[in-house]
Amino acid sequence: MDQQIKAALKQDNLLATTETGLDWVSQNRKTVIAGSAALLVLIVAAIVSFVVYNKRSEAASEAFGAAMQAYQTPIAQPGQPIPVGVKTYSSPEERAKNANAMFMDTANKYSMMPDGKVSLYFAGLTYMEAGENKSAEDTLKKVADGMDKSLGALAKLALAQLYRTTGRDAQAIDLYNQLTDKPTSTVPAGLAQLQLAELYNAEGKTDLAKKIYAHLKDTDAKGAAGTVAAAKLNPAPAGGAQGLQ
């Protein structure tokens, strides 16, 4: 077939396709306009949501940063000269209460933001430091039951410590076992087991503690938990790290 004929046929097909498309648009004009308008609304909504999220995320980050700065403010020692303009607190409890108010404010305002969720965890920690154990327990439980498993594991670890200091070792043991069965990047199984062994050791159940250390030494020989366990089983000479006798 002649190249000119092929080109003419191709052009005719293109024109036919274009005309068909234009006819469809003409016949369905309202549908096309409505569909375009709906798509535009979705695009605008997505852009607005993105901008709003970013602004709230930035605000949450700033609020969390301010709370952390307060939490890390130094404690003034008796008789210690304080440089002009340097913020200090008179006690850890005072600092914890001040930081706690800021963490809670951030958590309440930005509960859906990552920094808001982390703020709730730190609110639980600062409640503990301030001696407000009931509020600490309630707050840490909320974090532990949340969707963020890594943050929840940290909350469970803090809860276990709270239970230990308030004479509820059985509840602490249960949490350590949970963390061992479902480890996370924030709380590996070895860390949970070391804490459990420490609890048993404090209770005078050294046989149970030794059993845990021996298991960690064998299963995590080159890891941090295994190294600590080995040191506990084989204490250094006098003046060094102390382990189980």
Side-chain angles (χ1 to χ4, degrees):
M1 185 181 290
D2 188 283
Q3 290 296 327
Q4 290 183 340
I5 295 175
K6 287 183 178 180
L9 288 174
K10 186 174 182 181
Q11 185 174 6
D12 288 343
N13 288 334
L14 178 61
L15 287 172
T17 302
T18 303
E19 288 175 359
T20 300
L22 290 174
D23 287 341
W24 185 90
V25 170
S26 178
Q27 294 171 11
N28 298 273
R29 185 175 181 183
K30 290 183 179 180
T31 302
V32 171
I33 293 174
S36 299
L39 179 60
L40 180 61
V41 169
L42 288 174
I43 293 174
V44 171
I47 292 173
V48 170
S49 297
F50 178 76
V51 171
V52 170
Y53 180 87
N54 278 352
K55 286 186 176 180
R56 285 187 62 78
S57 182
E58 289 176 6
S61 181
E62 290 178 3
F64 175 69
M68 281 300 295
Q69 186 174 3
Y71 189 38
Q72 295 171 342
T73 298
I75 305 298
Q77 300 300 320
Q80 178 185 18
I82 302 173
V84 177
V86 174
K87 172 72 175 179
T88 62
Y89 288 104
S90 60
S91 68
E93 292 76 18
E94 180 191 17
R95 178 177 64 183
K97 287 182 179 180
N98 185 74
N100 175 267
M102 298 174 73
F103 282 127
M104 283 302 301
D105 184 60
T106 303
N108 290 330
K109 285 182 178 178
Y110 309 104
S111 59
M112 301 304 293
M113 300 291 167
D115 284 316
K117 299 181 192 308
V118 176
S119 291
L120 190 63
Y121 165 69
F122 276 98
L125 295 185
T126 47
Y127 271 134
M128 283 179 62
E129 291 185 29
E132 300 180 36
N133 292 335
K134 181 63 170 64
S135 295
E137 183 174 356
D138 292 342
T139 303
L140 289 171
K141 279 183 176 179
K142 288 181 182 178
V143 181
D145 294 336
M147 297 296 291
D148 190 327
K149 299 305 179 184
S150 295
L151 190 60
L154 287 173
K156 286 184 178 181
L157 195 66
L159 265 175
Q161 182 61 37
L162 176 64
Y163 290 149
R164 289 176 61 179
T165 58
T166 53
R168 291 178 283 174
D169 284 2
Q171 288 176 270
I173 291 171
D174 181 56
L175 284 179
Y176 289 140
N177 286 328
Q178 287 181 34
L179 292 169
T180 299
D181 293 338
K182 295 182 178 180
T184 63
S185 59
T186 53
V187 184
L191 174 58
Q193 283 289 285
L194 286 174
Q195 293 297 311
L196 179 58
E198 183 181 315
L199 185 155
Y200 283 141
N201 199 33
E203 290 181 336
K205 300 176 182 178
T206 55
D207 288 343
L208 291 176
K210 284 183 178 180
K211 185 176 180 180
I212 292 174
Y213 290 140
H215 176 72
L216 289 174
K217 180 183 177 182
D218 292 338
T219 59
D220 190 29
K222 296 182 179 180
T227 301
V228 173
K232 292 289 186 179
L233 288 171
N234 301 290
Q242 294 299 311
L244 293 176
Q245 300 296 330

